[in-house]
């Protein structure tokens, strides 16, 4: 690996151990075996590096989600499978998703991280849509990202908050799906029973 990759791996380990606010550039350098100048050269700043490290952790956490789908794309059953997979990673006691709560709470103190992650959030929505609909990410229209993508990422943020503060009462994928069925029915549509 080169310095860029070493820095990214070191930053990921630091985030998991210390979070955003307590991780220093020196921590990353020590963990990666690189030097301070490498951070500026490869990433521009420590905050941008931490943002990229977080996005990489999110990507790694979501790797297995799609492999577990057996129901038709776009179906309410697929919705339940997706959120059951998400809950399996969010609900772990040592889940990396707790970092999301930190950046929400401290975003004003870490503006470069917040801004970088805000830019990446729409791509997260695109990824959720691709899994739910069974399509490739590049084919998801921007109009869907601006609506369904935002809905799904908002649901994800709420789920992370629930598991961070009250894991014993946080919803399962099945409960989220039942809630969606009630919402669909209240809107005048009938969702198929699962």
């Amino acid at each position: 690996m080169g310095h860029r990759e070493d820095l990214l791996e070191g930053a990921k380990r630091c985030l998991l151990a210390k979070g955003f606010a307590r991780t220093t550039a020196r921590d990353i350098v020590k963990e990666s075996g690189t030097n301070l100048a490498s951070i500026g050269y490869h990433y521009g700043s420590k905050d941008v590096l931490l943002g990229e490290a977080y996005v990489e952790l999110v990507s790694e956490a979501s790797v297995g989600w799609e492999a577990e789908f057996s129901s038709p794309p776009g179906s309410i059953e697929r919705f339940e499978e997706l959120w059951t997979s998400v809950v399996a990673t969010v609900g772990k006691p040592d889940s990396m998703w707790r970092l999301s709560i930190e950046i929400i709470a401290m975003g004003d103190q870490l503006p470069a991280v917040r801004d970088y992650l805000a830019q990446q959030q729409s791509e997260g929505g695109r990824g959720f849509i691709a899994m739910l609909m069974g399509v490739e990410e590049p084919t998801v229209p921007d109009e869907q990202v601006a609506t369904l993508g935002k809905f799904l990422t908002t649901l994800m943020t709420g789920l992370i908050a629930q598991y961070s503060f009250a894991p014993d009462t946080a919803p399962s994928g099945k409960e989220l799906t039942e809630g969606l069925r009630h919402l669909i029915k209240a809107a005048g549509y009938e969702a198929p029973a699962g």
Side-chain angles (χ1 to χ4, degrees):
M1 273 195 291
H3 276 206
R4 181 174 177 78
E5 295 81 16
D6 291 339
L7 286 165
L8 188 61
E9 291 303 313
K12 286 169 22 183
R13 288 190 295 274
C14 287
L15 277 177
L16 292 172
K18 293 183 158 201
F20 284 102
R22 293 184 333 191
T23 296
T24 67
R26 291 193 188 285
D27 292 331
I28 297 168
V29 166
K30 182 179 178 185
E31 189 65 36
S32 65
T34 60
N35 58 63
L36 284 173
S38 292
I39 293 174
Y41 178 78
H42 291 291
Y43 292 95
S45 73
K46 175 197 79 157
D47 288 347
V48 170
L49 170 57
L50 289 176
E52 286 197 32
Y54 177 76
V55 169
E56 186 80 13
L57 287 169
V58 168
S59 179
E60 291 169 5
S62 62
V63 163
W65 295 350
E66 198 168 352
E68 300 175 21
F69 298 149
S70 61
S71 57
S75 67
I76 202 157
E77 293 80 15
R78 173 70 69 98
F79 180 89
E80 183 174 341
E81 287 178 331
L82 172 61
W83 290 102
T84 298
S85 295
V86 170
V87 166
T89 62
V90 172
K92 292 180 181 175
D94 61 344
S95 171
M96 57 73 50
W97 295 104
R98 65 183 160 67
L99 295 168
S100 298
I101 298 300
E102 182 181 3
I103 198 61
I104 290 168
M106 300 193 68
D108 290 342
Q109 296 172 29
L110 302 165
V113 175
R114 181 201 56 216
D115 294 347
Y116 178 80
L117 294 178
Q119 292 172 351
Q120 297 299 311
Q121 193 171 31
S122 67
E123 290 311 305
R126 190 180 305 277
F128 272 126
I129 294 169
M131 287 185 280
L132 183 62
M133 299 303 183
V135 298
E136 296 294 320
E137 281 188 45
T139 67
V140 175
D142 290 340
E143 302 81 43
Q144 280 189 358
V145 174
T147 55
L148 180 57
K150 286 180 180 178
F151 170 76
L152 295 170
T153 56
T154 300
L155 186 58
M156 180 69 175
T157 303
L159 190 67
I160 292 166
Q162 289 271 327
Y163 272 94
S164 295
F165 296 113
D168 293 340
T169 59
S172 66
K174 184 176 182 80
E175 289 169 327
L176 289 173
T177 304
E178 283 306 306
L180 179 62
R181 281 192 172 96
H182 288 295
L183 186 61
I184 291 169
K185 187 173 182 180
Y189 301 100
E190 194 64 40

